[in-house]
């Protein structure tokens, strides 16, 4: 097409710029493309939103601007719209700009739009519009609704009908899980994405949320959540209700069995390991009551609780003390005092023996009297006897000395 004025063709050369964008309501990504003396912006827009295509010219000398669709049909020629599509509306027209909006963008609107400037030769720049389609609400499914502790469970999350394909992440509480992803392309370049995750569960996982999180440029905060339901065998604990101290002959014994599990234990049994429970013992629900204890009742008493997952037990060892036995702590103190006294006495005896031994060792020897005085100097035995007998005359000086 040529524009004439005064019977002659008017052709002008100028710099031509094309840009495309969508209104703030939409989400778009623009990329500038250089070609010849033109520049254009590629646009990504969410389906159903509005996009704006702007063709801008620098130093225009009355050259004509028009906008064409991907089928090369004229959308706007200057400020006139030959195309009968009311979704295209003129936003601004001047010598330097042709700006057109496109509302309610659909997948069929995707393609390459042409801004054309009538020069010799004509110049063109292209704006590629990409339409983003967010996925529908994700669907999360479980292989089983209830899983027993120690077993493996499997969850599947599906995001249907997105463009481009979505990505899926898994979170179990604060822990990130790794899934196996499958991408399937459907009609109109749409995608369905599925992710599957497997893991073993424990009783601590009961009630923990598992999140399937969808990442897509056209969607935010898109997720599906499922809380785990884990069954586990009972946890059993025996509590002594009476007596508070050591069980003694003649006392009563009251034991309570506390059992928690999922599902709740349906059966609680009391037994005596390797022996029969005393005939007059009374079992009431989770309680075991024995009157008038004696030493024949000594043994291990066991509480067994069971549910659909399994069974567990706890043991209580009964040792009956005689009636004179005090409580544990005072008995230990008495034994300590007695032991200390015995040790002190033994130490004192040992010290006395050592002192006496050393005393006798130092004073060991012979003692002398004056009765034999002079006998040592005698020449023979007869003389010694005479000398010794002569000593009897001094009876007043006869003395004995012990050293």
């Amino acid at each position: 097409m040529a524009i004439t004025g005064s019977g002659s063709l008017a052709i002008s050369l100028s710099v031509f710029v094309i840009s495309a964008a969508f209104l703030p309501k939409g989400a778009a990504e623009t990329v500038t493309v250089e070609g010849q003396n033109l520049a254009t912006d590629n646009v990504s827009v969410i389906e159903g939103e509005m996009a704006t295509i702007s063709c801008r010219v620098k130093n225009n000398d009355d050259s004509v601007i028009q906008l064409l669709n991907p089928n090369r049909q004229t959308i706007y020629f200057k400020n006139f719209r030959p195309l009968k599509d009311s979704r295209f509306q003129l936003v601004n027209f001047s010598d330097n700009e042709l700006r057109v909006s496109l509302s309610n963008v659909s997948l069929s609107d995707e393609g390459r739009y042409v801004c054309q400037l009538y020069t010799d030769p004509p110049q063109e720049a292209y704006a590629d519009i990409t339409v983003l389609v967010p996925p529908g609400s994700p669907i999360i499914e479980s292989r089983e609704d209830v899983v027993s502790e120690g077993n493996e469970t499997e969850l599947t999350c599906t995001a249907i009908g997105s463009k481009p394909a979505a990505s899926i992440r898994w979170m179990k509480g604060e822990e990130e899980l790794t899934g196996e992803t499958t991408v399937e392309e459907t009609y109109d370049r749409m995608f369905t994405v599925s992710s599957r995750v497997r893991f073993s569960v424990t009783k601590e996982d009961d009630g923990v949320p598992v999140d399937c999180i969808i990442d897509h440029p056209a969607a935010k905060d898109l997720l599906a959540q499922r809380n785990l339901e884990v069954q586990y065998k009972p946890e059993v604990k025996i509590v002594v209700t009476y007596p508070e101290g050591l069980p003694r002959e003649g006392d009563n014994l009251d034991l309570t069995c506390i059992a928690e599990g999922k599902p709740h234990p349906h059966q609680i049994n009391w037994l005596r390991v390797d022996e029969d429970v005393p005939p007059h013992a009374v079992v009431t629900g989770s309680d075991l009551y024995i009157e008038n204890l004696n030493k024949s009742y000594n043994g291990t008493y066991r509480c067994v609780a069971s549910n659909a997952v399994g069974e567990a037990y706890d043991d209580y060892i009964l040792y009956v003390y005689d009636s004179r036995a005090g409580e544990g702590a005072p008995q230990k103190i008495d034994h300590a005092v007695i032991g200390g006294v015995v040790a002190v006495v033994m130490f004192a005896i040992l010290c006395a023996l050592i002192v006496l031994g050393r005393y006798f060792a130092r004073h060991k020897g012979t003692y002398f009297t004056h009765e034999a005085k002079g006998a040592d100097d005698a020449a023979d035995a007869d003389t010694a006897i005479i000398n010794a007998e002569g000593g009897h005359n001094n009876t007043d000086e006869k003395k004995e000395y012990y050293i």
Side-chain angles (χ1 to χ4, degrees):
M1 179 181 293
I3 305 299
T4 60
S6 302
S8 61
L9 178 66
I11 301 174
S12 62
L13 296 177
S14 60
V15 179
F16 181 61
V17 180
I18 305 165
S19 65
F22 59 89
L23 295 179
K25 180 182 177 182
E29 177 184 357
T30 62
V31 179
T32 300
V33 179
E34 300 289 342
Q36 299 177 2
N37 293 326
L38 306 177
T40 187
D41 296 326
N42 295 332
V43 178
S44 296
V45 60
I46 298 174
E47 183 182 32
E49 302 288 347
M50 178 181 288
T52 298
I53 304 172
S54 176
C55 302
R56 297 188 300 273
V57 183
K58 291 184 178 180
N59 304 319
N60 190 2
D61 54 358
D62 296 329
S63 295
V64 175
I65 309 170
Q66 70 172 350
L67 178 64
L68 309 177
N69 68 12
N71 296 323
R72 307 289 296 190
Q73 297 172 322
T74 301
I75 300 173
Y76 267 92
F77 177 77
K78 299 180 70 174
N79 59 351
F80 173 69
R81 190 186 73 205
L83 188 66
K84 303 303 180 182
D85 188 343
S86 61
R87 295 180 305 140
F88 290 97
Q89 295 292 322
L90 182 65
V91 177
N92 182 53
F93 173 73
S94 66
D95 291 341
N96 297 317
E97 182 185 35
L98 173 62
R99 190 192 313 166
V100 177
S101 66
L102 171 60
S103 61
N104 194 23
V105 176
S106 66
L107 281 174
S108 61
D109 297 320
E110 191 173 67
R112 173 166 290 185
Y113 290 75
V114 182
C115 284
Q116 192 175 72
L117 179 67
Y118 277 95
T119 59
D120 187 15
Q123 297 187 43
E124 295 181 346
Y126 309 99
D128 291 330
I129 294 183
T130 301
V131 179
L132 306 177
V133 181
S137 297
I139 301 171
I140 187 169
E141 297 175 324
S142 177
R143 186 174 60 189
E144 59 276 306
D145 293 333
V146 180
V147 60
S148 298
E149 65 173 330
N151 292 341
E152 185 180 75
T153 189
E154 178 179 298
L155 299 176
T156 302
C157 184
T158 305
I160 302 175
S162 67
K163 179 179 178 295
S167 60
I168 298 177
R169 294 182 292 117
W170 291 94
M171 294 293 293
K172 185 185 77 170
E174 299 297 326
E175 177 187 0
E176 186 168 0
L177 305 176
T178 302
E180 300 175 2
T181 302
T182 302
V183 179
E184 178 184 359
E185 185 173 358
T186 58
Y187 64 92
D188 292 336
R189 294 166 292 171
M190 302 286 284
F191 297 90
T192 294
V193 181
S194 296
S195 180
R196 181 174 58 189
V197 65
R198 298 187 187 94
F199 55 91
S200 296
V201 299
T202 64
K203 64 182 179 182
E204 287 78 14
D205 291 324
D206 184 44
V208 173
V210 177
D211 296 332
C212 166
I213 304 170
I214 306 300
D215 293 326
H216 192 271
K220 291 182 178 180
D221 302 325
L222 194 60
L223 62 84
Q225 186 177 89
R226 189 181 186 93
N227 291 332
L228 295 173
E229 186 171 353
V230 181
Q231 292 186 337
Y232 49 91
K233 65 183 181 180
E235 294 180 327
V236 184
K237 182 180 180 181
I238 296 175
V239 177
V240 180
T241 305
Y242 187 85
E244 295 182 356
L246 296 175
R248 296 175 292 178
E249 288 183 316
D251 281 348
N252 298 329
L253 178 67
D254 194 356
L255 303 178
T256 298
C257 182
I258 300 175
E260 297 291 340
K262 188 173 182 181
H264 191 76
H266 58 79
Q267 188 174 7
I268 295 178
N269 294 324
W270 282 95
L271 57 90
R272 187 179 179 188
V273 178
D274 299 329
E275 295 182 76
D276 294 333
V277 176
H280 65 281
V282 178
V283 176
T284 305
S286 60
D287 293 340
L288 174 65
Y289 182 74
I290 304 176
E291 289 184 337
N292 195 20
L293 294 175
N294 61 61
K295 292 184 180 296
S296 65
Y297 297 160
N298 289 345
T300 300
Y301 291 79
R302 176 171 295 174
C303 173
V304 182
S306 59
N307 61 10
V309 181
E311 68 175 30
Y313 65 86
D314 190 24
D315 287 342
Y316 172 76
I317 300 175
L318 173 63
Y319 182 83
V320 179
Y321 293 83
D322 59 48
S323 58
R324 294 186 303 275
E327 300 300 327
Q331 284 187 347
K332 293 180 181 178
I333 294 175
D334 290 346
H335 289 164
V337 172
I338 294 173
V341 172
V342 172
V344 170
V345 172
M346 293 300 296
F347 180 75
I349 294 173
L350 181 61
C351 291
L353 292 175
I354 293 174
V355 171
L356 290 176
R358 291 175 59 86
Y359 180 81
F360 284 117
R362 292 181 60 185
H363 296 279
K364 182 179 180 181
T366 306
Y367 70 90
F368 300 93
T369 66
H370 288 274
E371 292 177 348
K373 188 175 180 180
D376 290 338
D377 298 330
D380 51 33
D382 294 335
T383 306
I385 293 173
I386 294 171
N387 291 338
E389 290 176 349
H392 285 281
N393 295 327
N394 276 333
T395 55
D396 294 336
E397 295 181 0
K398 179 182 177 182
K399 294 180 182 179
E400 292 184 355
Y401 296 91
Y402 176 82
I403 299 176

